[in-house]
mmCIF file of all heavy atoms in Angstrom:
data_model
loop_
_atom_site.group_PDB
_atom_site.id
_atom_site.type_symbol
_atom_site.label_atom_id
_atom_site.label_comp_id
_atom_site.label_asym_id
_atom_site.label_seq_id
_atom_site.Cartn_x
_atom_site.Cartn_y
_atom_site.Cartn_z
ATOM 1 N N GLU A 15 89.422 56.817 111.513
ATOM 2 C CA GLU A 15 90.364 55.731 111.313
ATOM 3 C C GLU A 15 91.423 55.811 112.415
ATOM 4 O O GLU A 15 91.877 56.914 112.759
ATOM 5 C CB GLU A 15 91.027 55.825 109.938
ATOM 6 C CG GLU A 15 90.067 55.601 108.780
ATOM 7 C CD GLU A 15 89.152 56.786 108.527
ATOM 8 O OE1 GLU A 15 89.611 57.784 107.988
ATOM 9 O OE2 GLU A 15 87.966 56.695 108.905
ATOM 10 N N ARG A 25 91.444 69.543 114.979
ATOM 11 C CA ARG A 25 91.020 70.669 114.128
ATOM 12 C C ARG A 25 89.663 70.409 113.460
ATOM 13 O O ARG A 25 88.792 71.274 113.491
ATOM 14 C CB ARG A 25 92.070 70.958 113.058
ATOM 15 C CG ARG A 25 93.382 71.520 113.624
ATOM 16 C CD ARG A 25 94.374 71.842 112.510
ATOM 17 N NE ARG A 25 93.798 72.762 111.559
ATOM 18 C CZ ARG A 25 93.791 74.095 111.690
ATOM 19 N NH1 ARG A 25 94.351 74.655 112.741
ATOM 20 N NH2 ARG A 25 93.229 74.852 110.770
ATOM 21 N N ASP A 26 89.521 69.256 112.852
ATOM 22 C CA ASP A 26 88.319 69.023 112.041
ATOM 23 C C ASP A 26 87.191 68.363 112.813
ATOM 24 O O ASP A 26 86.021 68.671 112.606
ATOM 25 C CB ASP A 26 88.661 68.165 110.810
ATOM 26 C CG ASP A 26 89.314 68.977 109.704
ATOM 27 O OD1 ASP A 26 89.422 70.207 109.866
ATOM 28 O OD2 ASP A 26 89.702 68.382 108.677
ATOM 29 N N LYS A 34 98.073 74.190 115.100
ATOM 30 C CA LYS A 34 98.202 74.524 113.679
ATOM 31 C C LYS A 34 98.848 73.427 112.840
ATOM 32 O O LYS A 34 99.725 72.691 113.308
ATOM 33 C CB LYS A 34 99.037 75.795 113.527
ATOM 34 C CG LYS A 34 98.482 77.013 114.256
ATOM 35 C CD LYS A 34 97.059 77.352 113.872
ATOM 36 C CE LYS A 34 96.610 78.638 114.527
ATOM 37 N NZ LYS A 34 95.148 78.809 114.483
ATOM 38 N N GLY A 36 101.366 73.011 109.834
ATOM 39 C CA GLY A 36 102.373 73.746 109.079
ATOM 40 C C GLY A 36 103.049 72.902 108.031
ATOM 41 O O GLY A 36 103.226 73.326 106.893
ATOM 42 N N CYS A 37 103.446 71.658 108.416
ATOM 43 C CA CYS A 37 104.206 70.832 107.474
ATOM 44 C C CYS A 37 103.676 69.407 107.392
ATOM 45 O O CYS A 37 103.831 68.749 106.375
ATOM 46 C CB CYS A 37 105.688 70.814 107.849
ATOM 47 S SG CYS A 37 106.028 69.940 109.396
ATOM 48 N N GLU A 86 101.835 84.888 129.756
ATOM 49 C CA GLU A 86 102.106 86.264 130.216
ATOM 50 C C GLU A 86 103.473 86.734 129.750
ATOM 51 O O GLU A 86 103.645 87.900 129.373
ATOM 52 C CB GLU A 86 102.000 86.342 131.748
ATOM 53 C CG GLU A 86 100.576 86.147 132.275
ATOM 54 C CD GLU A 86 99.541 87.018 131.559
ATOM 55 O OE1 GLU A 86 99.816 88.208 131.298
ATOM 56 O OE2 GLU A 86 98.447 86.499 131.235
ATOM 57 N N GLN A 92 106.060 90.583 123.801
ATOM 58 C CA GLN A 92 105.504 90.876 122.470
ATOM 59 C C GLN A 92 106.092 89.921 121.437
ATOM 60 O O GLN A 92 106.591 90.336 120.379
ATOM 61 C CB GLN A 92 105.776 92.341 122.097
ATOM 62 C CG GLN A 92 105.067 93.334 123.005
ATOM 63 C CD GLN A 92 103.604 93.510 122.637
ATOM 64 O OE1 GLN A 92 103.275 93.992 121.558
ATOM 65 N NE2 GLN A 92 102.713 93.104 123.524
ATOM 66 N N GLN A 95 104.616 87.569 115.811
ATOM 67 C CA GLN A 95 104.455 88.459 114.657
ATOM 68 C C GLN A 95 103.228 87.952 113.899
ATOM 69 O O GLN A 95 102.113 88.292 114.241
ATOM 70 C CB GLN A 95 105.733 88.527 113.845
ATOM 71 C CG GLN A 95 106.821 89.259 114.649
ATOM 72 C CD GLN A 95 108.044 89.597 113.848
ATOM 73 O OE1 GLN A 95 108.022 89.717 112.646
ATOM 74 N NE2 GLN A 95 109.161 89.752 114.536
ATOM 75 N N CYS A 96 103.442 87.094 112.880
ATOM 76 C CA CYS A 96 102.240 86.561 112.235
ATOM 77 C C CYS A 96 101.469 85.671 113.202
ATOM 78 O O CYS A 96 100.260 85.551 113.114
ATOM 79 C CB CYS A 96 102.582 85.825 110.941
ATOM 80 S SG CYS A 96 102.874 84.056 111.090
ATOM 81 N N ARG A 131 108.926 81.354 110.840
ATOM 82 C CA ARG A 131 109.352 82.035 109.616
ATOM 83 C C ARG A 131 109.502 83.540 109.817
ATOM 84 O O ARG A 131 110.202 84.193 109.050
ATOM 85 C CB ARG A 131 108.350 81.741 108.495
ATOM 86 C CG ARG A 131 108.759 82.201 107.111
ATOM 87 C CD ARG A 131 110.090 81.619 106.655
ATOM 88 N NE ARG A 131 110.274 81.653 105.212
ATOM 89 C CZ ARG A 131 111.439 81.418 104.614
ATOM 90 N NH1 ARG A 131 112.516 81.124 105.343
ATOM 91 N NH2 ARG A 131 111.528 81.444 103.297
ATOM 92 N N CYS A 132 108.822 84.078 110.843
ATOM 93 C CA CYS A 132 108.972 85.501 111.135
ATOM 94 C C CYS A 132 110.248 85.785 111.933
ATOM 95 O O CYS A 132 110.564 86.949 112.178
ATOM 96 C CB CYS A 132 107.774 86.036 111.905
ATOM 97 S SG CYS A 132 106.194 85.849 111.053
ATOM 98 N N TYR A 135 112.737 84.217 117.127
ATOM 99 C CA TYR A 135 113.518 83.331 118.009
ATOM 100 C C TYR A 135 114.109 84.048 119.228
ATOM 101 O O TYR A 135 114.106 83.501 120.328
ATOM 102 C CB TYR A 135 114.638 82.668 117.210
ATOM 103 C CG TYR A 135 114.174 81.763 116.093
ATOM 104 C CD1 TYR A 135 114.742 81.847 114.817
ATOM 105 C CD2 TYR A 135 113.178 80.807 116.291
ATOM 106 C CE1 TYR A 135 114.355 80.999 113.785
ATOM 107 C CE2 TYR A 135 112.770 79.959 115.267
ATOM 108 C CZ TYR A 135 113.372 80.058 114.010
ATOM 109 O OH TYR A 135 112.976 79.223 112.991
ATOM 110 N N ARG B 213 101.252 95.498 120.660
ATOM 111 C CA ARG B 213 100.450 95.060 119.515
ATOM 112 C C ARG B 213 99.076 94.577 119.988
ATOM 113 O O ARG B 213 98.949 93.993 121.051
ATOM 114 C CB ARG B 213 101.174 93.935 118.773
ATOM 115 C CG ARG B 213 102.428 94.419 118.071
ATOM 116 C CD ARG B 213 103.081 93.259 117.360
ATOM 117 N NE ARG B 213 102.103 92.569 116.535
ATOM 118 C CZ ARG B 213 102.308 92.157 115.302
ATOM 119 N NH1 ARG B 213 103.489 92.355 114.750
ATOM 120 N NH2 ARG B 213 101.373 91.543 114.638
ATOM 121 N N ARG B 217 97.969 88.798 122.537
ATOM 122 C CA ARG B 217 97.408 87.804 123.446
ATOM 123 C C ARG B 217 96.652 86.724 122.670
ATOM 124 O O ARG B 217 96.798 85.532 122.950
ATOM 125 C CB ARG B 217 96.516 88.451 124.504
ATOM 126 C CG ARG B 217 96.013 87.473 125.560
ATOM 127 C CD ARG B 217 95.387 88.147 126.748
ATOM 128 N NE ARG B 217 96.325 88.918 127.536
ATOM 129 C CZ ARG B 217 97.083 88.415 128.526
ATOM 130 N NH1 ARG B 217 97.002 87.132 128.833
ATOM 131 N NH2 ARG B 217 97.915 89.176 129.185
ATOM 132 N N LYS B 219 97.262 85.735 119.770
ATOM 133 C CA LYS B 219 98.239 84.901 119.064
ATOM 134 C C LYS B 219 99.075 84.048 120.023
ATOM 135 O O LYS B 219 99.755 83.131 119.579
ATOM 136 C CB LYS B 219 99.145 85.772 118.200
ATOM 137 C CG LYS B 219 98.437 86.325 116.961
ATOM 138 C CD LYS B 219 99.328 87.256 116.162
ATOM 139 C CE LYS B 219 98.659 87.640 114.838
ATOM 140 N NZ LYS B 219 99.499 88.602 114.071
ATOM 141 N N TYR B 226 93.066 82.248 111.462
ATOM 142 C CA TYR B 226 93.596 82.432 110.115
ATOM 143 C C TYR B 226 92.614 81.775 109.138
ATOM 144 O O TYR B 226 91.715 81.027 109.553
ATOM 145 C CB TYR B 226 94.978 81.794 110.017
ATOM 146 C CG TYR B 226 95.921 82.321 111.076
ATOM 147 C CD1 TYR B 226 95.931 81.786 112.366
ATOM 148 C CD2 TYR B 226 96.777 83.388 110.807
ATOM 149 C CE1 TYR B 226 96.761 82.291 113.351
ATOM 150 C CE2 TYR B 226 97.614 83.895 111.792
ATOM 151 C CZ TYR B 226 97.608 83.343 113.071
ATOM 152 O OH TYR B 226 98.426 83.853 114.039
ATOM 153 N N ASP B 229 91.733 78.212 109.590
ATOM 154 C CA ASP B 229 90.983 77.822 110.789
ATOM 155 C C ASP B 229 89.479 78.023 110.648
ATOM 156 O O ASP B 229 88.727 77.621 111.535
ATOM 157 C CB ASP B 229 91.447 78.670 111.984
ATOM 158 C CG ASP B 229 92.913 78.489 112.286
ATOM 159 O OD1 ASP B 229 93.416 77.364 112.112
ATOM 160 O OD2 ASP B 229 93.564 79.475 112.691
ATOM 161 N N TRP B 282 89.371 67.122 106.169
ATOM 162 C CA TRP B 282 90.500 67.371 105.274
ATOM 163 C C TRP B 282 91.476 66.197 105.258
ATOM 164 O O TRP B 282 92.024 65.841 104.227
ATOM 165 C CB TRP B 282 91.260 68.657 105.656
ATOM 166 C CG TRP B 282 92.284 68.983 104.611
ATOM 167 C CD1 TRP B 282 92.032 69.479 103.370
ATOM 168 C CD2 TRP B 282 93.704 68.770 104.677
ATOM 169 N NE1 TRP B 282 93.208 69.601 102.660
ATOM 170 C CE2 TRP B 282 94.245 69.177 103.434
ATOM 171 C CE3 TRP B 282 94.558 68.278 105.667
ATOM 172 C CZ2 TRP B 282 95.609 69.120 103.152
ATOM 173 C CZ3 TRP B 282 95.921 68.218 105.392
ATOM 174 C CH2 TRP B 282 96.434 68.631 104.143
ATOM 175 N N ARG B 284 90.848 63.064 105.526
ATOM 176 C CA ARG B 284 90.333 62.013 104.638
ATOM 177 C C ARG B 284 90.450 62.442 103.179
ATOM 178 O O ARG B 284 90.773 61.625 102.305
ATOM 179 C CB ARG B 284 88.882 61.701 105.002
ATOM 180 C CG ARG B 284 88.785 60.867 106.274
ATOM 181 C CD ARG B 284 87.355 60.757 106.764
ATOM 182 N NE ARG B 284 87.208 59.613 107.666
ATOM 183 C CZ ARG B 284 86.089 59.358 108.338
ATOM 184 N NH1 ARG B 284 85.018 60.137 108.192
ATOM 185 N NH2 ARG B 284 86.033 58.315 109.142
ATOM 186 N N HIS B 358 108.308 81.070 99.491
ATOM 187 C CA HIS B 358 108.012 81.997 100.578
ATOM 188 C C HIS B 358 108.101 81.298 101.938
ATOM 189 O O HIS B 358 108.591 81.884 102.888
ATOM 190 C CB HIS B 358 106.615 82.595 100.397
ATOM 191 C CG HIS B 358 106.514 83.487 99.190
ATOM 192 N ND1 HIS B 358 106.150 83.018 97.947
ATOM 193 C CD2 HIS B 358 106.756 84.805 99.038
ATOM 194 C CE1 HIS B 358 106.165 84.034 97.086
ATOM 195 N NE2 HIS B 358 106.525 85.126 97.716
ATOM 196 N N ARG B 446 101.414 71.149 102.587
ATOM 197 C CA ARG B 446 102.729 71.794 102.413
ATOM 198 C C ARG B 446 103.385 71.320 101.119
ATOM 199 O O ARG B 446 104.015 72.086 100.396
ATOM 200 C CB ARG B 446 103.626 71.482 103.610
ATOM 201 C CG ARG B 446 105.056 72.008 103.513
ATOM 202 C CD ARG B 446 105.135 73.519 103.376
ATOM 203 N NE ARG B 446 104.526 74.195 104.507
ATOM 204 C CZ ARG B 446 104.339 75.513 104.582
ATOM 205 N NH1 ARG B 446 104.743 76.304 103.592
ATOM 206 N NH2 ARG B 446 103.737 76.058 105.628
ATOM 207 N N SER B 652 112.965 90.084 112.317
ATOM 208 C CA SER B 652 112.360 89.178 111.346
ATOM 209 C C SER B 652 113.094 89.225 110.015
ATOM 210 O O SER B 652 113.351 88.198 109.383
ATOM 211 C CB SER B 652 110.892 89.587 111.178
ATOM 212 O OG SER B 652 110.271 88.854 110.178
ATOM 213 N N GLU B 664 118.624 78.522 101.807
ATOM 214 C CA GLU B 664 117.454 78.284 100.971
ATOM 215 C C GLU B 664 117.778 78.237 99.480
ATOM 216 O O GLU B 664 118.508 79.066 98.957
ATOM 217 C CB GLU B 664 116.395 79.361 101.228
ATOM 218 C CG GLU B 664 115.865 79.318 102.642
ATOM 219 C CD GLU B 664 114.759 80.334 102.870
ATOM 220 O OE1 GLU B 664 113.999 80.631 101.937
ATOM 221 O OE2 GLU B 664 114.682 80.843 104.000
ATOM 222 N N ASN B 677 108.886 69.876 101.121
ATOM 223 C CA ASN B 677 108.567 70.207 102.505
ATOM 224 C C ASN B 677 109.834 70.777 103.140
ATOM 225 O O ASN B 677 110.887 70.867 102.495
ATOM 226 C CB ASN B 677 108.052 68.977 103.271
ATOM 227 C CG ASN B 677 107.052 69.359 104.375
ATOM 228 O OD1 ASN B 677 107.281 70.307 105.126
ATOM 229 N ND2 ASN B 677 105.958 68.629 104.450
ATOM 230 N N LEU B 684 115.782 78.847 108.429
ATOM 231 C CA LEU B 684 116.587 79.153 109.612
ATOM 232 C C LEU B 684 115.990 78.539 110.872
ATOM 233 O O LEU B 684 114.812 78.715 111.170
ATOM 234 C CB LEU B 684 116.695 80.675 109.786
ATOM 235 C CG LEU B 684 117.804 81.141 110.728
ATOM 236 C CD1 LEU B 684 119.164 81.057 110.019
ATOM 237 C CD2 LEU B 684 117.553 82.554 111.231
#
Side-chain angles (χ1 to χ4, degrees):
Chain A
E15 293 75 75
R25 292 182 57 85
D26 281 356
K34 302 304 185 196
C37 68
E86 292 311 318
Q92 295 280 295
Q95 291 190 24
C96 92
R131 189 57 160 168
C132 301
Y135 297 133
Chain B
R213 291 180 51 136
R217 186 168 294 274
K219 287 176 172 177
Y226 305 84
D229 300 325
W282 188 73
R284 284 170 160 174
H358 293 90
R446 176 60 60 187
S652 174
E664 296 183 32
N677 211 315
L684 196 77

